[in-house]
Structure formats: structure tokens, C-alpha cells
């Protein structure tokens, strides 16, 4: 998994590209992104688009700060990003959330 960050000077935001590589997709048909930026609401999850190489990608524009997030595979399996900037306790069991730092 990977996070690519690019500062967009004209908008004073970061363009963050979230990528789930084919080997991490676990034969998933759909992958979505949820986190603090959408209230952790699976109903408002951001769909990642499947690429020709089998990976899934999406991009968001986010202001500076830290954002917790996770991926949902096929609407039921929650996964962290292997390349997150850090991980923090989710407050549910021993689960952690991925964090992107901008």
C-alpha cells in the first residue's frame, strides 16, 4: 500500500493518493476509503478505482494535519495501509487506524 502526497500551492492543500496494490487487495472486487475526513461513515466511503495492474487508487485534497483512515474491502473487511505514516489505537479492541500526516 502506498500514500503519495503533493502540495498544491494554488489551493494550499495536499493532494493525497491512496493506493492498495494488487497483492494487498486479496481478490477484492471493491475497495473503499473511510476516515476522519468523511466521519468514518461507510455510507459515504470513497471508492477506489481498480487499475489495469490490479491495484486500486483514489485521490483526495486535504488540508494540513493528521488524518486517521482505513480501507474497507468488499464492504466487510477493514484493513490498514501498510505504508501509513503512523498508527494509533482506534479505541475499539486492540485495533489500530492508519494515519497520514500532512
Amino acid at each position: 500500500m502506498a500514500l503519495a502526497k503533493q502540495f498544491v500551492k494554488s489551493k494550499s492543500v495536499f493532494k493525497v493518493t491512496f493506493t492498495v496494490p494488487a497483492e494487498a487487495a486479496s481478490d477484492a472486487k471493491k475497495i473503499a476509503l473511510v476516515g476522519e475526513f468523511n466521519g468514518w461513515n461507510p455510507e459515504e466511503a470513497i471508492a477506489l478505482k481498480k487499475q489495469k495492474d490490479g491495484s486500486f487508487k483514489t485521490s483526495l485534497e486535504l488540508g494540513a494535519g493528521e488524518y486517521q483512515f482505513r480501507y474497507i474491502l468488499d464492504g466487510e473487511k477493514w484493513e490498514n495501509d501498510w505504508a501509513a505514516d503512523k498508527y494509533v489505537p482506534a479505541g475499539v479492541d486492540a485495533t489500530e487506524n492508519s494515519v497520514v500526516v500532512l
Side-chain angles (χ1 to χ4, degrees):
M1 298 189 195
L3 296 171
K5 307 171 210 173
Q6 179 181 3
F7 185 68
V8 181
K9 192 172 184 178
S10 63
K11 296 182 179 180
S12 296
V13 296
F14 290 87
K15 179 182 178 184
V16 183
T17 301
F18 297 84
T19 305
V20 177
E23 61 271 15
S26 303
D27 299 322
K29 304 286 186 250
K30 298 184 306 182
I31 298 180
L33 176 68
V34 293
E36 292 180 313
F37 37 78
N38 66 357
W40 291 100
N41 185 348
E43 300 294 320
E44 295 181 19
I46 300 156
L48 279 73
K49 184 176 180 185
K50 189 166 187 173
Q51 307 297 301
K52 290 180 182 179
D53 65 1
S55 66
F56 289 78
K57 274 187 187 183
T58 194
S59 295
L60 296 177
E61 289 185 350
L62 299 169
E66 295 187 7
Y67 299 89
Q68 295 181 36
F69 70 95
R70 294 191 82 191
Y71 300 106
I72 305 175
L73 283 65
D74 292 330
E76 47 189 62
K77 185 177 179 187
W78 291 65
E79 291 288 336
N80 278 322
D81 192 307
W82 301 345
D85 294 327
K86 65 181 184 178
Y87 304 93
V88 297
V92 180
D93 303 325
T95 305
E96 292 185 325
N97 291 331
S98 301
V99 177
V100 59
V101 180
L102 304 171

